[in-house]
């Protein structure tokens, strides 16, 4: 779903009431009955069906017809608009610029506040292609873990924002977290380049050491990035690394903590050997170098992203991975 914010300026309160009604109904239904949307929206002069048709034309909702009833599903486009409306009301986002990144599970845009200060807007889009596999007959979400990808994207954004906030408050080199709503995160714009785009550094050994120290420093604070690679590390002009992208981050108390730690270390070793022809016999080991001095994972849990939500997000991610592997084997 491509973000097109132009339409938002022409939408009134009634359109957003209907969108919000579709969102509220989707908490218990994958396909929200039209009558339920009308009941929740409770427009004074009616007209819910006409508004739904207009929203459908602009792909903010999708109409679904099955043997039980007709209804609508809120799309990522509609979810984008609901989040942008809230972020705009909070004055976190005033204008939306160019897209600067796209991935399997997120889209990234340049945005600005009312004073013109540029920021980064990240939209989580878990299960980007998985709606194709959802059967229309499975309507009521009796178990959240089998449910809406919009909900899981919101969980992913909650998790990333919670980790970024705690890391920033404790002096780690991460972007400044500004705001979070639904599946969207607003953060500061860093003047740097992804490590994957850099082909030459003055002192590869110094940068290698700085990255290994960062992995150990995180682990000693009770956290493991889980996806510490050249795509999730920004390098400033002075070769200072900035860490981004935290949906995979886990606590050192996680059952697979040592495996995630070793994988992060090996990702950096492999990249430096291939890109900079630099290889060091010195690298950290979880059992030897990790000593939990400060438990930032406890602070993250206290911020609202609990262990239960973490397990819920992991379970759905594992299920999605199994589905993707199944497709590849067909």
């Amino acid at each position: 779903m491509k973000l097109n914010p132009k339409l938002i300026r022409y939408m009134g309160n009634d359109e957003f009431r209907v969108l919000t009604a579709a969102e509220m109904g989707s908490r218990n239904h994958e396909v929200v009955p039209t009558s339920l949307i009308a009941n929740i929206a409770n427009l004074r002069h009616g007209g819910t069906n006409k508004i739904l048709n207009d929203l459908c034309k602009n792909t903010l909702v999708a109409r679904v017809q099955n043997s039980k009833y007709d209804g609508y599903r809120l799309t990522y486009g509609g979810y984008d608009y609901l989040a942008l409306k809230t972020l705009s009301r909070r004055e976190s986002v005033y204008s939306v610029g160019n897209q600067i990144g796209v991935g399997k599970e997120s889209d990234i845009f340049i945005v600005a506040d009312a004073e013109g200060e540029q920021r980064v807007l990240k939209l989580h889009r878990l299960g980007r292609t998985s709606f194709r596999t959802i059967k229309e007959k499975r309507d009521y979400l009796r178990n959240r873990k089998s449910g809406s990808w919009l909900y899981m994207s919101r969980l992913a954004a909650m998790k990333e924002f919670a980790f970024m906030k705690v890391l920033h408050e404790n002096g780690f080199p991460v972007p400044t977290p500004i705001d979070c709503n639904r599946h969207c995160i607003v953060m500061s714009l860093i003047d740097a380049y992804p490590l994957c785009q850099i082909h030459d550094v003055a002192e590869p050994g110094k940068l290698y050491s700085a990255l290994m120290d960062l992995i150990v420093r995180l682990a000693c604070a009770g956290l493991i990035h889980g996806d510490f690679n050249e795509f999730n590390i920004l390098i400033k002009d002075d070769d200072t690394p900035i860490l981004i992208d935290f949906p995979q981050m886990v606590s050192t108390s996680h059952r697979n903590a040592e495996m995630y730690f070793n994988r992060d270390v090996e990702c950096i070793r492999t990249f430096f050997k291939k890109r900079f022809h630099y290889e060091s016999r010195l690298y950290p080991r979880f059992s030897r170098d990790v000593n939990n001095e400060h438990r930032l994972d406890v602070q993250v849990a206290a911020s609202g992203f609990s262990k239960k939500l973490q397990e819920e997000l992991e379970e759905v991610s594992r299920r999605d991975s199994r589905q993707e592997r199944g497709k590849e084997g067909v």
Side-chain angles (χ1 to χ4, degrees):
M1 178 69 202
K2 185 177 180 180
L3 175 64
N4 179 10
K6 294 181 179 179
L7 182 65
I8 198 170
R9 69 184 67 175
Y10 303 111
M11 292 175 59
N13 291 332
D14 285 355
E15 283 80 6
F16 277 105
R17 283 179 68 92
V18 173
L19 265 184
T20 302
E23 178 188 27
M24 294 175 65
S26 66
R27 294 174 183 173
N28 293 320
H29 298 79
E30 285 181 3
V31 180
V32 187
T34 305
S35 58
L36 179 60
I37 295 175
N39 186 47
I40 297 174
N42 193 27
L43 298 184
R44 183 174 298 178
H45 303 293
T48 299
N49 286 329
K50 181 181 184 304
I51 291 175
L52 281 169
N53 287 333
D54 292 339
L55 294 175
C56 193
K57 289 177 183 177
N58 290 293
T59 65
L60 303 185
V61 296
R63 188 176 183 184
V64 181
Q65 296 176 302
N66 59 33
S67 57
K68 296 180 180 179
Y69 57 82
D70 291 344
Y72 290 83
R73 172 176 57 79
L74 182 67
T75 67
Y76 267 118
Y79 211 43
D80 292 346
Y81 272 39
L82 288 170
L84 284 174
K85 180 74 170 178
T86 301
L87 293 171
S88 174
R89 189 168 61 246
R90 294 176 181 171
E91 300 184 349
S92 300
V93 173
Y94 180 77
S95 61
V96 178
N98 295 330
Q99 184 171 358
I100 59 173
V102 60
K104 181 182 178 182
E105 296 182 342
S106 65
D107 289 331
I108 303 173
F109 291 82
I110 294 289
V111 297
D113 62 10
E115 284 72 43
E117 179 184 354
Q118 290 191 327
R119 298 171 170 179
V120 170
L121 173 70
K122 180 174 182 178
L123 302 95
H124 285 267
R125 301 199 190 283
L126 271 65
R128 190 191 291 270
T129 60
S130 296
F131 277 120
R132 301 173 188 171
T133 65
I134 294 177
K135 296 180 180 180
E136 293 178 359
K137 292 182 180 179
R138 181 169 57 83
D139 174 54
Y140 188 72
L141 306 186
R142 295 179 179 84
N143 186 336
R144 270 292 194 184
K145 289 184 284 190
S146 66
S148 170
W149 287 110
L150 300 181
Y151 170 72
M152 301 315 301
S153 294
R154 182 170 71 84
L155 278 191
M158 283 177 57
K159 176 181 179 179
E160 181 161 22
F161 190 79
F163 277 106
M164 193 187 308
K165 190 172 186 294
V166 168
L167 289 170
H168 183 264
E169 290 172 350
N170 286 272
F172 281 87
V174 299
T176 303
I178 297 172
D179 203 351
C180 179
N181 183 258
R182 294 176 173 87
H183 63 316
C184 297
I185 297 173
V186 182
M187 66 190 86
S188 63
L189 176 64
I190 304 294
D191 186 13
Y193 293 93
L195 181 57
C196 63
Q197 296 180 9
I198 296 175
H199 294 272
D200 186 42
V201 293
E203 300 180 74
K206 183 177 179 181
L207 180 57
Y208 172 89
S209 296
L211 294 174
M212 290 301 180
D213 287 347
L214 183 53
I215 292 175
V216 173
R217 184 184 167 201
L218 278 169
C220 286
L223 298 173
I224 298 171
H225 187 278
D227 202 14
F228 199 100
N229 58 46
E230 64 271 23
F231 300 101
N232 296 326
I233 300 166
L234 304 179
I235 304 297
K236 301 177 74 173
D237 288 340
D238 60 357
D239 287 347
T240 300
I242 304 294
L243 194 57
I244 60 172
D245 205 11
F246 311 106
Q248 304 297 323
M249 186 165 272
V250 298
S251 165
T252 50
S253 62
H254 191 280
R255 61 185 180 278
N256 296 321
E258 185 168 0
M259 182 273 289
Y260 286 127
F261 180 90
N262 293 338
R263 188 175 68 181
D264 283 353
V265 169
E266 194 57 35
C267 279
I268 297 303
R269 295 188 72 208
T270 301
F271 177 78
F272 270 71
K273 183 178 179 179
K274 289 182 178 180
R275 177 63 57 87
F276 305 123
H277 307 291
Y278 177 86
E279 186 174 11
S280 174
R281 289 181 295 178
L282 300 175
Y283 57 92
R285 292 177 174 84
F286 186 83
S287 58
R288 182 191 66 194
D289 298 303
V290 176
N291 178 22
N292 292 146
E293 301 168 354
H294 308 287
R295 296 304 301 268
L296 298 188
D297 53 334
V298 176
Q299 291 186 36
V300 171
S303 73
F305 192 84
S306 65
K307 183 178 179 180
K308 181 180 179 181
L309 291 178
Q310 167 74 23
E311 291 173 350
E312 188 172 349
L313 189 55
E314 287 183 6
E315 173 59 28
V316 172
S317 296
R318 285 195 295 270
R319 183 182 296 113
D320 194 31
S321 296
R322 289 195 296 268
Q323 288 178 351
E324 290 299 320
R325 289 196 297 270
K327 292 177 187 177
E328 292 173 0
V330 174

